[in-house]
Amino acid sequence: MDLYVGQLGDLPFTKMCGGTQQEGEMESCVLIAPIPGVADAYALRDSKNPDAGTLRFTGDELRAAGIATI
């Protein structure tokens, strides 16, 4: 399945945070949204730089990386 086929449009991203990069640093956060029309697939963005681009992952890939899907 190619998750990069098709446009994402305006997605309802949710901010997910957890852990810190170093003591005293701000929490590390990502923006995550389900990809419409694709079961168990998600779009991810950097919460501090959302214009940097959007990556797409299956739920299995995210869970294997330790990221809980919404």
Side-chain angles (χ1 to χ4, degrees):
M1 159 179 29
D2 185 356
L3 296 178
Y4 287 89
V5 172
Q7 299 294 318
L8 292 176
D10 189 26
L11 297 178
F13 282 94
T14 300
K15 191 174 191 178
M16 293 180 69
C17 300
T20 57
Q21 294 175 358
Q22 295 180 20
E23 192 171 320
E25 295 275 331
M26 294 175 44
E27 277 194 310
S28 300
C29 301
V30 295
L31 301 174
I32 186 170
I35 298 175
V38 183
D40 200 33
Y42 300 87
L44 242 62
R45 290 183 178 169
D46 181 345
S47 66
K48 294 179 182 85
N49 190 7
D51 294 330
T54 303
L55 300 174
R56 302 173 195 197
F57 298 94
T58 66
D60 286 341
E61 291 170 324
L62 291 177
R63 289 184 291 274
I67 300 173
T69 55
I70 52 177

